[in-house]
Amino acid sequence: MVEPGPALELMELTAGYGETVVLEGLELALGQGQSLSVLGRNGVGKTTLLATIMGHTHVRAGAIRFAGREIVRWPPWRRARAGLGYVPQGREIFRSLTVREHLEIAARPGPWTVERAFALFPSLAERRRHRGDALSGGEQ
């Protein structure tokens, strides 16, 4: 049996913002179902790496392959439709929407339903009606 290639592969990737190079010659391969932690102090390129994979930086050289397809020239929306996603650390949410509404607008076809997310994170389920602008954590 032939083993499938990496689910995500970065080869000799050089990228950054405008004229500024942040990532240089980066190599990474992540197999289907594998996890990866990217650690480092502030300013070493962790966020730039994720932004580059999602299509938000200027790639100067190298390749990005997702599920065997070269995606370096794909716009961000096409990468998202192909199954790539990025959840930023901050509270970048819609203040007028509830927790449930946030999950519903992010839903995609597949095994992860809103109810499955609530089952996995019971404390999130308890807050399903809380809005993003709730100062005290209560319902609005």
Side-chain angles (χ1 to χ4, degrees), residues 77-93:
W77 65 265
R78 188 169 176 200
R79 296 173 196 218
R81 288 234 173 112
L84 281 172
Y86 169 58
V87 180
Q89 175 179 325
R91 278 189 60 132
E92 297 174 11
I93 60 174

Side-chain angles (χ1 to χ4, degrees), residues 71-125:
I71 66 166
V72 78
R73 298 197 193 291
W74 287 12
W77 65 265
R78 188 169 176 200
R79 296 173 196 218
R81 288 234 173 112
L84 281 172
Y86 169 58
V87 180
Q89 175 179 325
R91 278 189 60 132
E92 297 174 11
I93 60 174
F94 295 102
R95 295 173 57 84
S96 64
L97 298 182
T98 64
V99 167
R100 173 178 278 286
E101 290 167 335
H102 275 95
L103 292 173
E104 288 172 348
I105 63 171
R108 299 292 180 267
W112 284 101
T113 64
V114 171
E115 293 311 317
R116 187 170 175 203
F118 285 153
L120 187 61
F121 300 102
S123 62
L124 194 62

Side-chain angles (χ1 to χ4, degrees), residues 4-10 29-34 64-69 71 84:
L8 178 66
E9 188 173 20
L10 283 53
L30 188 62
Q32 184 70 31
Q34 290 184 322
I64 302 173
R65 287 200 182 110
F66 179 64
R69 296 176 290 183
I71 66 166
L84 281 172

Side-chain angles (χ1 to χ4, degrees), residues 22-23 38-49 89:
V22 178
L23 307 173
V38 179
L39 305 172
R41 61 179 175 73
N42 291 346
V44 297
K46 300 177 303 288
T47 301
T48 300
L49 169 62
Q89 175 179 325

